[in-house]
Amino acid sequence: MKLRIKYLLEKLIRILLKVFSVFPVVKNRVLFQSFSGRQYSDSPKVISEYLRANYPDDLQIIWAFVDPESHADLKKQGITTVRYKSLRYLFHALTCHVYVDNVEHWSLLHFRPQQTVINTWHGGGDYKQVGADRRDTGELEKQHVIAKMAEVDWFVSSSEAFSRDTIRGSFRYEGEIIECGLPRNDILVNGDQKAAETVRKELGLADCRIALYAPTFRNRLDGGAYDLDQSQLLKALSQRFGGRWKLLVRYHYYLKNRPLAAGGADVSDYPDMQQLLLAADVLITDYSSSIWDFSLLGKPCFLYAPDLKEYQKERTFYSDPADWPALLAQDNGQLRQIILDFDEKKYAEKIEKHHRDAGIRESGNATVTIGEMIAEECGAAES
């Protein structure tokens, strides 16, 4: 009942917000946000930087943040920042010509026909189910998600499988899909080693190998989901691959009470996940879409999933985790063993097969593709 009342109130507020229709849509205005205003990151950041570099005088670029004061440096670049969900934000969101987001947009927004809404989403691959297919989501919530996704004009996709199962399937989306890969993944596809070296120097890890532990979010924190034996992990990595190893731990941004990183360094607040992936030699995760991103590098990825059965009560998967481009372990002992038994040739074949089966569309040129589409939409490409 409370949820129904909430959605009815949202509908009423959306009607009231039509007052903004007295203001014209500004042809060259583009509004970006990432993870509901929490970050300056992901594909929206990459696209924004491309447009800023190539059309500095032609486009009015706006970013929405929960804490705009912490992004004051963007103002020096000629970018306008607004507080997410503020009155000023509503004005710009409802008068911009192009709106770019990587999650479900705020329910109060109701876009006009003159506006173009782009969703880059924040993950590729075809792993855990989202949207209307989640087991822990009620029917009313599912319909709410579907209604919001119906307002998207262009949906960016990393693969045929993602388009089919997530965009068309879980989101019930019927609009245009741009299968060019994720702009945030261009740096991985193109193998920017200079960026990798920069990250290592920033973190003071230029002379050692990096294992990145990046578990996804759970509704529950009990059940030992995060009980990775970090000491045993590093010993196994050193034994199998050689060298001195350092563990970096990056938790999901929803996770407020983070488990202790123990021997690892907490890089949860590092601004760019793709740069961390580029710098890492090995990824340890579970059901995160970073599996897909890391597979583009061809480096070893291991899944530590002790709560696999429990997690599937919340969500199911589009495919069998055994077929993902990673090696699965459900306890610390198994993780140690699959690291020690790691076979480069078999693993490379596993990644190649997964990409082929998924119908990979990562081009390494997605930023240019989407950036130029936005520029053309705003008339900047003609100026």
Side-chain angles (χ1 to χ4, degrees), residues 33 35 43 73 101 105 110 141 146 165 185 220 296 321:
Q33 63 187 50
F35 298 109
S43 292
D73 57 313
D101 207 342
H105 59 264
H110 182 60
E141 293 174 276
I146 293 169
D165 296 333
N185 282 343
R220 297 171 58 186
L296 303 175

Side-chain angles (χ1 to χ4, degrees), residues 179-210:
E179 289 186 337
C180 62
L182 301 184
R184 74 178 193 183
N185 282 343
D186 286 348
I187 192 174
L188 304 180
V189 176
N190 297 324
D192 190 338
Q193 291 308 307
K194 186 176 180 180
E197 291 170 6
T198 299
V199 175
R200 285 174 172 271
K201 288 179 181 178
E202 284 180 8
L203 298 173
L205 301 173
D207 60 344
C208 66
R209 308 192 76 177
I210 296 175

